[in-house]
Amino acid sequence: MRFYGIPSEDRALEILESLPEGLWVFKDNSLQVQLSSKEVKEKLREIILMVKSWKEKEKHIPQTTTFVFVHTPAQPKHFKIYDLSSLGCSVSLNPPRWECYLLEDQ
């Protein structure tokens, strides 16, 4: 599955508006819950705004640093969001801090 990096949190919020209806799985580290599309929208909006605040507060983080990844932005059914611990000199990303996907998709 290919994911597209969304460097602009404003664009990520736009993509969030086209979230399909259905049952979603939301993962936060080891916690996993099932949420409605409305609940997952609220949760992801909260996380995306937090990421945006990191970039505003931490001046050493370039504005183009990508924390939000989505599978098929036109039909978003799977998101991966990384936290500040993913920054560094690694050749691969740590597992995402937050992940959510449409249950029917898995």
Side-chain angles (χ1 to χ4, degrees):
M1 184 179 294
R2 181 173 182 182
F3 284 84
Y4 297 87
I6 311 296
S8 163
E9 285 70 39
D10 292 333
R11 175 67 182 126
L13 291 170
E14 288 174 17
I15 292 170
L16 199 58
E17 292 307 312
S18 59
L19 213 65
E21 293 294 321
L23 191 59
W24 287 76
V25 173
F26 178 79
K27 297 180 182 180
D28 182 349
N29 286 333
S30 61
L31 174 71
Q32 180 174 317
V33 295
Q34 292 185 0
L35 301 172
S36 70
S37 55
K38 181 181 177 184
E39 292 169 319
V40 87
K41 271 185 189 181
E42 291 171 10
K43 195 73 167 159
L44 288 175
R45 180 176 287 112
E46 177 184 306
I47 294 168
I48 291 168
L49 290 174
M50 180 174 49
V51 168
K52 187 175 182 174
S53 75
W54 293 342
K55 288 184 179 180
E56 291 169 352
K57 292 177 185 172
E58 303 293 332
K59 297 301 179 191
H60 66 280
I61 301 174
Q63 290 298 307
T64 55
T65 303
T66 303
F67 292 96
V68 180
F69 292 80
V70 63
H71 173 65
T72 315
Q75 297 176 332
K77 295 181 181 180
H78 197 147
F79 290 83
K80 292 183 179 183
I81 304 175
Y82 295 83
D83 63 10
L84 293 172
S85 68
S86 65
L87 295 176
C89 300
S90 178
V91 241
S92 62
L93 284 171
N94 297 333
R97 165 70 191 279
W98 301 279
E99 183 175 8
C100 73
Y101 55 85
L102 189 59
L103 190 57
E104 292 82 358
D105 240 28
Q106 293 296 315

